[in-house]
Amino acid sequence: MVTYLDAATAPLRNTGQIRLYGEGGFAGMRKACDLTARCLDELVSIVAPGVTTETIDRFVFEFGMDHGALPATLNYRGYTKSSCTSINHVVCHGIPDNKPLKDGDIVNIDVTYILDGWHGDSSRMYPVGTIKRAAERLLEVTHECLMRGIAAIRPGARTGAIGAVVRDFCGHGVGQLFHDAPNILHYGSASEGVEMRPGMIFTVEPMINLGRPHVKVLSDGWTAVTRDRSLSAQYEHTIGVTETGCEIFTLSPKNLDRPGLPA
């Protein structure tokens, strides 16, 4: 049975219960998420052929340090980088390294900053140079899935209404914890899942493959790839449920939520 509790009195650990945040929590999330969104905006001018994902990761770390924030992924369960960079057929959790990006690549950059105890979590797809139309269309469809899922968020609806593709990974509760209840599945029906209530905060992060949905995790324990090596794309926003609908905390201040795609 799903239970809800006031986040102000909840223990600082994942108990499986769903936290309901007040205005103070929403205010804290706005600041953390705005910083993450501004970092992702800055990366638009950095991502290019010849740039390494290690360079991108170093920028994420330094940007956070310059603004009093820590990257949540750094040393999280042994992960040693400040971001995740997932290229082409990597679905999620790609580890930054010194291999240069190539013209025609697509890369998801996933950033979470901890600012004053609050976690701002978001990711975007970035085209590298000139990409093929199939890749461009994949990005368009994936972002549309994100926004359609977000449009279904309102009090009284169930989280199953959000869902739409890779089934192995999901969105999650977020706030004072990096990963919290509930899990937000990217499949299901409107009658499934937990009831959404004002004060809930979670991520929506659909992952769409150009080919089959099946994935595998590589021997590094993090990098998830498509089994058929087809392209994969993901966009992610952090959302707060309000009395009348929802608030998207991680919108781009510069209207760059879809880098490289028509506005």
Side-chain angles (χ1 to χ4, degrees):
M1 179 179 176
V2 177
T3 58
Y4 303 80
L5 75 167
D6 183 348
T9 61
L12 201 58
R13 66 178 187 278
N14 187 343
T15 63
Q17 299 166 297
I18 297 175
R19 299 164 193 263
L20 301 179
Y21 291 91
E23 179 52 38
F26 273 49
M29 288 298 289
R30 289 185 192 109
K31 291 180 181 179
C33 290
D34 176 70
L35 183 63
T36 296
R38 287 192 285 125
C39 175
L40 293 174
D41 282 355
E42 293 298 319
L43 288 172
V44 173
S45 63
I46 295 173
V47 174
V51 174
T52 68
T53 51
E54 180 64 39
T55 297
I56 292 168
D57 190 70
R58 186 163 56 251
F59 175 84
V60 171
F61 176 79
E62 292 174 352
F63 187 89
M65 293 296 100
D66 289 345
H67 294 85
L70 286 170
T73 57
L74 188 59
N75 298 320
Y76 177 77
R77 296 184 178 178
Y79 192 82
T80 60
K81 301 296 182 178
S82 299
S83 62
C84 295
T85 52
S86 302
I87 305 168
N88 294 335
H89 71 291
V90 178
V91 177
C92 60
H93 304 156
I95 303 172
D97 59 23
N98 287 314
K99 184 178 180 180
L101 294 169
K102 303 188 303 297
D103 186 72
D105 285 343
I106 57 173
V107 57
N108 175 273
I109 304 176
D110 193 340
V111 175
T112 305
Y113 282 129
I114 307 172
L115 181 64
D116 299 329
W118 299 95
H119 292 71
D121 191 358
S122 186
S123 78
R124 298 179 200 166
M125 295 300 301
Y126 297 78
V128 182
T130 302
I131 63 174
K132 293 182 178 179
R133 176 54 186 158
E136 183 179 65
R137 182 61 179 151
L138 175 64
L139 269 56
E140 292 171 345
V141 168
T142 305
H143 189 268
E144 182 178 354
C145 285
L146 170 71
M147 299 313 293
R148 287 192 180 194
I150 291 172
I153 299 172
R154 58 176 114 24
R158 296 194 173 271
T159 54
I162 301 170
V165 218
V166 169
R167 300 190 172 202
D168 300 66
F169 302 95
C170 57
H172 53 85
V174 69
Q176 290 173 295
L177 297 178
F178 191 5
H179 295 102
D180 201 1
N183 287 333
I184 305 298
L185 303 179
H186 299 127
Y187 58 92
S189 68
S191 62
E192 298 175 329
V194 302
E195 179 186 344
M196 290 183 273
R197 297 186 181 181
M200 289 174 62
I201 298 176
F202 50 79
T203 67
V204 178
E205 45 188 298
M207 304 165 206
I208 310 293
N209 297 345
L210 198 57
R212 296 180 180 276
H214 309 103
V215 304
K216 64 179 179 180
V217 177
L218 301 184
S219 59
D220 59 32
W222 291 100
T223 308
V225 301
T226 56
R227 286 186 175 272
D228 61 4
R229 296 187 66 82
S230 63
L231 295 178
S232 186
Q234 175 192 17
Y235 291 87
E236 175 185 13
H237 275 313
T238 295
I239 309 296
V241 182
T242 67
E243 295 289 343
T244 57
C246 70
E247 178 177 348
I248 305 175
F249 293 127
T250 45
L251 284 173
S252 164
K254 296 183 178 180
N255 197 29
L256 295 172
D257 293 296
R258 309 192 324 161
L261 297 179

